[in-house]
Amino acid sequence: MSETPYRYTAELAGQIETAWQDRWEAEGTFHAPNPSGVWAEPEKVGGREKLFVLDMFPYPSGAGLHVGHPLGYIGTDTWARYQRMRGRNVLHALGYDAFGLPAEQYAVQTGQHPRVTTEANIANMRRQLRRLGLAHDDRRSVATTDVEFYRWTQWIFLQVFNSWYDTDADKARPIDELIAEFASVTRPTPSDRPWAELDAAERATIVDSYRLAYVSEAPVNWCPGLGTVLANEEVTAEGRSDIGNFPVFKRSMKQWMMRITAYSDRLLADLDRLDWPDKVKAMQRNWIGRSSGASVTFPVEGHEAAIAVFTTRPDTLFGATFMVLAPEHPIVDAITPGENAWPSGTNHAWTGGAASPSEAVTAYREAAARKTDLERQENKDKSGVFTGAFAINPVDGRRIPIFIADYVLMGYGTGAIMAVPAEDERDWDFATTYELPIIRTVQPSEGHDENTAFTGDGPTINSANDEISLNGLNMADAKQTMIDWLTEKGHGTETVTYKLRDWLFSRQRYWGEPFPIVYDEAGHPIALPESMLPVELPEIDDYSPQALDPDDSTSEPVPPLGRVTDWAEVELDLGDGPKTYRRELNVMPQWAGSCWYEIRYLDPANHHRFVDVDVERYWMGPRDAADSASVEPVETPVSTSSTTEGGDVGGVDLYVGGVEHAVLHLLYARFWHKVLFDLGQVSSAEPFRRLYNQGYIQAYAFRDSRGQTVPADEVEEVAGADGEMSYVWHGEEVFREYGKMGKSLKNIVTPDDMYDSYGADTFRIYEMGMGPLDQSKPWETRAVVGSQRFLQRLWRNVVDEVTGDVRVVDASLDAATKRALHKAIDAVTRDYEGLSFNTAIARLTEYNNVLTKLDAVPREAIEPMLLMVAPLTPHIAEELWSRLGHAESLAFEPFPVADPALIADDTVTCVVQVRGKVRARLEVPADISEDDLRAQALAVPRIADEIANGVRTVIVRAPKLVNVVPV
């Protein structure tokens, strides 16, 4: 029998932890009351400040969690538990971003319905997270694959589809209001034809062109081998599919698009009002990419067509010596002179070795289609071919050749550039490769290498015609002068443009949200009425899109839903009698559910609305309204203006997740939320008021001589004769490297391993103690024992390991312990507020060591310790609190408050320097005067020796510094 049967071990920890998790669940300890609706508890809401804490919800992977995943979850849980103890009404929940390609690919391989796989993965992840002791309101957990959830995703899509952006009002408005303006002639149609003269198809076409969700031809990543369009993040740097390694081609297809570009300026402006990391704000600004300049029209010789380009440097137009189009540009076919021979005098280098322009263009397009946008942008070896056509430079009438080249992207600007090689490095490289003229329009600075482009500022040169001269002007003045001339002559206009493109919103898959859209005989999309929601996925036998020839870039997708003919074609009465309609066969992308899931956490039991008006206002509304204990009932709409100038934008109070979601998820969610705000559906102008990026857990990985990773847990560390360490796997030497923990590096450690070996509380406090939450840090399993020892010492301060009896005494604190306690309270409070959990742990360890040295631990000393450690290690804190005689959970116990009189130091260490070098340290009263401190410092024997020849000056900064300067 053990000599210490009541020692805090992994086994005892597991028993304690599961018992408290069961109790929290049974008692609904962490159920957050709402002000109204199904879970209304006004008496619990009143008088309490609310706090909405949110984690970026996970994809339920079949592999489950590794120890890197819970880092942010433990951090938010610690902070939320602390805030509950400060009296706040905290909403903290976690759901699952459950639609995704992995489950569908598994279904393709096995025939098992992706819902079965997904729900099994969710169940496993829920088990792992419950075992961690997270204080979530489990009633509020949702999965994007829940039919009740995606019913409201479809409903929000309809709000977007049935809206348009009114640039005059700078907000989205219902599409019916646009139709009413056309009908009443208060707004002219784009063609100026009266609305009454247009037939139904013409009206539908006009209205569809205004919608915030619309169908359009768009450049996509087409992967015939998978039979689907892929998002950029699903394409490797080699231009192949991440799954299956099939070729991916750039081509245009009809796709659903979201008109996010209408919100470009608002998405930019409101970044300044968010409490987000500067790095993330910069990434969003760069992604939106607002640029001001000019749109310039270049006529094409011999054609009625013209090429529009956007340039931020209209001052350099006199230096434009050629034009470059994206290979996908629609004008290329019109201007390329068929099978005709090359124009006389064509440089052979321009032809790509082809016999004719059309042959050259076709071959180059096929090659470009195999490259990703990233490859095209990063390709240092510029390539292209001449189209056989010429443009006319509008400023001087020069005839300049038109090329296609893959470094110009159709998705940015107009898909065409005027090339000014003297002032652009890419254009310089292209011009030198293809022997094109180079004309400097900016005077290079002295010493500039004449064999390179000059991209700096300087006086304008070589830039004049009979009507305008820019020569001698600086860049800013030259730009504006040229813009004014272009506008006057009808060759261009002042323009603002954006890198941001409209959001591609279609996927040719099965496992996604069906669109609530049908098509009429003319092919126009028609929104289904809300009464027909949800549109549920049909049961099918084959989950894969029709796989096609992997190398056939011209093939057309056949989505899985297209094979369910009795679902794909449906007879409906949409108000004008029963008719046969064709359903939309694509599904929404995985991003759809993550654009609004935080709103559903607020009110997931509401079957009549995506969220109750008052509930949303309470949890997410602007602080001047949401912090009020009582919320007045209102009718929708809840917002009346799109203006967001001044004041709080509302949203989640703390959103924690990885920086990898800085652009796509966060930008898409902001867009959807702003549409809902404009339409009066929510009171908050932004979804996430405060954002915090946690770091990553990194771990060692090992590779063999071939560069292949080997399982890290099978590697042995071996000391050589010289003491140097080496690493061996199955007798073979392997080499250690450092990287993010993950399946690909075979270095995963699971939370289950930690629960079994140490317990959840030890795992929690180890992760929080590894370093600052926002920094990446190394995982070292052998170091976890240090955290376990801290909890064992805490346990021994309350429980006798031999008898199991409580060993706490009801005695008063001595002065030193009381001062140590209040200093700990003060420091830990500040650390918790700042999410500095690693330093809080250091403070708690220091105070726990003070208690360990006592002969008997007073209740007055240990109970505040348990309350302070509870946010980090809730199970052991609850257990010890209970053993001290408390019947109720400590989850809502008031957090200790430091006595200011006890946190001030009696003495401080003063550094004494001579000529700036430390020569002595003195313990002095914290309130010592400058004169007394000077006298004490000069009386120190060593200082006296060094100033034997006299003192020039003494600088005193009481109570911490004296600097003596001898003669």
Side-chain angles (χ1 to χ4, degrees):
M1 183 181 230
S2 171
E3 295 181 2
T4 54
Y6 296 96
R7 184 177 178 82
Y8 184 77
T9 61
E11 182 181 4
L12 178 58
Q15 295 168 5
I16 291 170
E17 289 161 2
T18 54
W20 278 102
Q21 289 156 15
D22 291 343
R23 177 172 169 178
W24 293 331
E25 182 177 335
E27 295 180 358
T29 303
F30 305 112
H31 290 180
N34 277 351
S36 61
V38 178
W39 295 331
E41 296 182 84
E43 71 284 356
K44 292 185 179 180
V45 169
R48 298 171 67 196
E49 182 183 347
K50 65 85 187 180
L51 192 74
F52 185 8
V53 181
L54 182 70
D55 304 276
M56 292 186 182
F57 65 167
Y59 175 74
S61 164
L65 299 174
H66 62 64
V67 294
H69 291 124
L71 179 67
Y73 305 153
I74 300 171
T76 53
D77 187 61
T78 300
W79 196 70
R81 284 177 177 272
Y82 162 74
Q83 296 292 351
R84 279 192 197 90
M85 298 174 77
R86 294 297 301 271
R88 293 178 173 89
N89 182 21
V90 178
L91 191 163
H92 193 196
L94 190 74
Y96 299 89
D97 192 9
F99 279 121
L101 192 56
E104 184 161 354
Q105 286 299 114
Y106 188 73
V108 170
Q109 296 163 10
T110 66
Q112 178 170 288
H113 197 292
R115 179 171 294 283
V116 174
T117 306
T118 300
E119 290 179 351
N121 293 347
I122 289 174
N124 180 52
M125 196 171 285
R126 278 200 170 116
R127 174 195 61 79
Q128 290 181 303
L129 292 171
R130 183 184 190 273
R131 186 65 183 79
L132 194 57
L134 301 175
H136 291 158
D137 186 340
D138 54 358
R139 303 171 302 171
R140 299 175 185 266
S141 182
V142 297
T144 55
T145 51
D146 296 341
V147 174
E148 179 65 12
F149 182 92
Y150 75 65
R151 166 197 176 188
W152 294 108
T153 305
Q154 293 171 342
W155 179 87
I156 294 173
F157 173 85
L158 291 180
Q159 308 312 299
V160 179
F161 177 76
N162 286 322
S163 301
W164 64 293
Y165 201 84
D166 184 345
T167 54
D168 294 329
D170 199 21
K171 62 179 288 187
R173 294 172 54 195
I175 202 77
D176 289 343
E177 294 180 7
L178 174 68
I179 295 171
E181 290 185 9
F182 284 142
S184 64
V185 201
T186 56
R187 179 181 295 270
T189 64
S191 65
D192 287 331
R193 287 178 61 198
W195 185 255
E197 294 181 6
L198 302 177
D199 61 31
E202 290 171 322
R203 292 180 181 181
T205 299
I206 290 174
V207 171
D208 289 348
S209 71
Y210 280 82
R211 295 184 187 274
L212 289 179
Y214 63 98
V215 178
S216 174
E217 286 277 341
V220 296
N221 300 311
W222 170 232
C223 180
L226 290 176
T228 187
V229 167
L230 300 178
N232 288 335
E233 61 272 16
E234 295 164 343
V235 182
T236 68
E238 293 74 32
R240 304 182 76 85
S241 60
D242 187 42
I243 292 178
N245 197 37
F246 292 109
V248 176
F249 303 92
K250 266 291 186 197
R251 56 168 292 192
S252 291
M253 285 185 176
K254 276 195 173 182
Q255 301 287 316
W256 276 97
M257 308 291 290
M258 290 275 180
R259 206 179 303 274
I260 190 174
T261 51
Y263 281 82
S264 296
D265 284 329
R266 281 173 59 187
L267 290 167
L268 277 172
D270 283 351
L271 283 172
D272 292 333
R273 304 175 59 219
L274 297 174
D275 184 5
W276 285 19
D278 289 339
K279 177 182 179 181
V280 175
K281 290 183 179 183
M283 292 170 74
Q284 289 216 353
R285 289 190 181 102
N286 291 337
W287 190 266
I288 295 169
R290 188 181 193 276
S291 300
S292 58
S295 291
V296 185
T297 302
F298 285 74
V300 178
E301 185 181 65
H303 295 267
E304 293 184 3
I307 299 171
V309 303
F310 170 79
T311 176
T312 59
R313 296 293 306 275
D315 56 305
T316 64
L317 260 164
F318 285 95
T321 58
F322 59 101
M323 298 193 74
V324 183
L325 308 180
E328 306 87 357
H329 199 295
I331 203 174
V332 172
D333 290 330
I335 65 174
T336 301
E339 297 299 326
N340 297 334
W342 293 102
S344 176
T346 297
N347 187 325
H348 180 72
W350 299 3
T351 67
S356 67
S358 61
E359 181 182 323
V361 166
T362 299
Y364 191 84
R365 278 177 156 175
E366 290 177 355
R370 296 179 181 273
K371 297 181 181 179
T372 65
D373 286 353
L374 184 63
E375 283 181 295
R376 289 168 58 168
Q377 288 175 296
E378 293 184 345
N379 185 10
K380 294 181 180 179
D381 298 323
K382 297 295 178 285
S383 66
V385 293
F386 179 40
T387 62
F390 292 86
I392 305 301
N393 188 324
V395 297
D396 55 15
R398 274 183 298 115
R399 188 171 177 256
I400 59 177
I402 304 171
F403 288 77
I404 60 171
D406 58 15
Y407 75 91
V408 177
L409 303 179
M410 194 63 218
Y412 178 60
T414 63
I417 65 164
M418 60 175 215
V420 183
E423 277 82 52
D424 184 278
E425 292 175 356
R426 294 181 311 167
D427 296 344
W428 179 284
D429 293 342
F430 194 93
T432 53
T433 299
Y434 293 100
E435 302 172 11
L436 291 158
I438 297 175
I439 302 173
R440 292 201 183 276
T441 59
V442 178
Q443 180 63 53
S445 56
E446 187 176 349
H448 175 74
D449 183 356
E450 282 298 314
N451 294 315
T452 62
F454 178 69
T455 58
D457 196 357
T460 305
I461 59 174
N462 300 325
S463 299
N465 61 25
D466 293 340
E467 300 178 349
I468 182 175
S469 175
L470 308 182
N471 292 334
L473 297 179
N474 62 36
M475 184 191 298
D477 291 342
K479 280 184 180 182
Q480 194 57 55
T481 301
M482 177 57 80
I483 288 172
D484 293 343
W485 185 84
L486 289 169
T487 303
E488 178 188 348
K489 296 299 180 181
H491 297 314
T493 58
E494 189 165 7
T495 304
V496 174
T497 190
Y498 305 86
K499 285 169 62 178
L500 181 66
R501 301 291 92 188
D502 280 345
W503 174 15
L504 177 64
F505 201 72
S506 297
R507 297 292 184 271
Q508 290 72 39
R509 298 177 184 153
Y510 170 77
W511 194 227
E513 299 93 339
F515 283 88
I517 293 290
V518 292
Y519 294 89
D520 62 16
E521 292 180 346
H524 290 294
I526 299 172
L528 293 175
E530 292 177 18
S531 60
M532 292 187 179
L533 302 183
V535 178
E536 295 191 46
L537 284 168
E539 297 294 325
I540 62 175
D541 297 324
D542 184 357
Y543 300 100
S544 59
Q546 183 173 320
L548 305 165
D549 179 351
D551 296 309
D552 183 3
S553 63
T554 63
S555 54
E556 293 293 330
V558 182
L561 293 176
R563 295 196 289 269
V564 191
T565 54
D566 58 346
W567 182 88
E569 291 194 359
V570 59
E571 185 174 280
L572 301 171
D573 185 349
L574 299 181
D576 52 356
K579 292 183 179 179
T580 299
Y581 296 92
R582 176 175 54 86
R583 290 191 189 274
E584 172 59 65
L585 301 180
N586 293 323
V587 294
M588 300 184 200
Q590 187 176 354
W591 306 104
S594 64
C595 281
W596 75 281
Y597 73 104
E598 76 285 352
I599 301 176
R600 193 59 180 168
Y601 284 166
L602 308 182
D603 204 15
N606 190 335
H607 303 301
H608 306 290
R609 199 171 189 277
F610 77 117
V611 66
D612 179 89
V613 170
D614 294 336
V615 169
E616 185 277 332
R617 178 183 280 108
Y618 172 75
W619 288 111
M620 293 185 69
R623 278 186 171 150
D624 53 359
D627 282 354
S628 173
S630 61
V631 180
E632 293 296 326
V634 296
E635 299 294 330
T636 45
V638 298
S639 64
T640 58
S641 171
S642 70
T643 181
T644 55
E645 294 179 8
D648 181 57
V649 293
V652 172
D653 296 297
L654 178 66
Y655 192 26
V656 175
V659 72
E660 68 270 19
H661 299 294
V663 175
L664 299 181
H665 157 58
L666 289 172
L667 203 59
Y668 296 157
R670 293 181 66 209
F671 164 56
W672 269 32
H673 201 91
K674 286 183 179 297
V675 175
L676 292 172
F677 174 75
D678 287 353
L679 299 177
Q681 299 292 349
V682 294
S683 65
S684 43
E686 286 279 346
F688 314 117
R689 173 189 285 112
R690 181 185 179 194
L691 175 70
Y692 186 96
N693 294 131
Q694 92 273 5
Y696 298 107
I697 298 292
Q698 297 176 309
Y700 288 118
F702 299 87
R703 295 185 186 273
D704 61 19
S705 57
R706 301 167 300 159
Q708 300 298 310
T709 54
V710 303
D713 58 355
E714 297 177 9
V715 173
E716 298 177 20
E717 192 175 39
V718 179
D722 57 358
E724 289 290 321
M725 303 303 298
S726 61
Y727 304 93
V728 176
W729 177 71
H730 294 181
E732 175 189 355
E733 184 179 14
V734 292
F735 304 93
R736 189 171 73 169
E737 63 181 47
Y738 207 54
K740 185 179 175 183
M741 184 176 287
K743 184 166 58 176
S744 63
L745 292 180
K746 298 182 180 178
N747 60 353
I748 285 177
V749 179
T750 72
D752 295 326
D753 298 333
M754 293 298 100
Y755 304 151
D756 293 342
S757 300
Y758 299 98
D761 277 340
T762 295
F763 173 47
R764 286 172 62 110
I765 202 167
Y766 173 70
E767 287 223 337
M768 291 300 95
M770 292 171 70
L773 184 61
D774 61 350
Q775 295 180 14
S776 295
K777 37 219 163 259
W779 176 267
E780 181 55 71
T781 299
R782 290 176 295 185
V784 179
V785 70
S787 298
Q788 184 184 47
R789 288 172 183 155
F790 164 71
L791 295 183
Q792 287 172 336
R793 288 192 294 270
L794 176 63
W795 179 266
R796 284 197 298 270
N797 281 334
V798 179
V799 177
D800 187 300
E801 291 184 334
V802 177
T803 65
D805 295 335
V806 171
R807 55 186 299 267
V808 172
V809 297
D810 291 317
S812 298
L813 294 184
D814 62 79
T817 304
K818 182 174 285 191
R819 185 175 293 277
L821 168 62
H822 284 269
K823 284 194 170 196
I825 293 171
D826 176 62
V828 170
T829 299
R830 284 185 280 106
D831 289 337
Y832 278 162
E833 288 289 350
L835 287 87
S836 299
F837 305 124
N838 60 313
T839 53
I841 292 167
R843 308 283 190 179
L844 291 166
T845 302
E846 182 181 326
Y847 177 60
N848 194 50
N849 290 340
V850 170
L851 300 185
T852 302
K853 295 173 184 177
L854 300 176
D855 293 333
V857 179
R859 178 182 294 272
E860 189 180 344
I862 193 64
E863 288 193 345
M865 173 66 179
L866 297 179
L867 295 175
M868 286 191 287
V869 80
L872 287 159
T873 56
H875 310 91
I876 191 173
E878 289 271 28
E879 181 68 17
L880 294 177
W881 185 257
S882 174
R883 293 192 182 211
L884 289 175
H886 300 281
E888 299 299 322
S889 166
L890 55 62
F892 296 95
E893 285 293 319
F895 198 82
V897 178
D899 183 343
L902 294 173
I903 63 176
D905 288 320
D906 286 338
T907 63
V908 296
T909 300
C910 175
V911 173
V912 184
Q913 297 177 333
V914 178
R915 295 189 183 92
K917 295 184 178 180
V918 177
R919 290 293 183 259
R921 287 183 171 85
L922 305 175
E923 287 298 315
V924 299
D927 57 354
I928 192 171
S929 68
E930 288 192 2
D931 289 341
D932 288 346
L933 183 57
R934 180 185 293 106
Q936 284 196 34
L938 296 179
V940 174
R942 181 173 181 182
I943 304 301
D945 290 343
E946 296 207 23
I947 60 174
N949 295 327
V951 175
R952 179 175 297 169
T953 186
V954 179
I955 302 168
V956 181
R957 297 287 184 266
K960 293 188 175 182
L961 176 67
V962 176
N963 191 10
V964 182
V965 182
V967 172

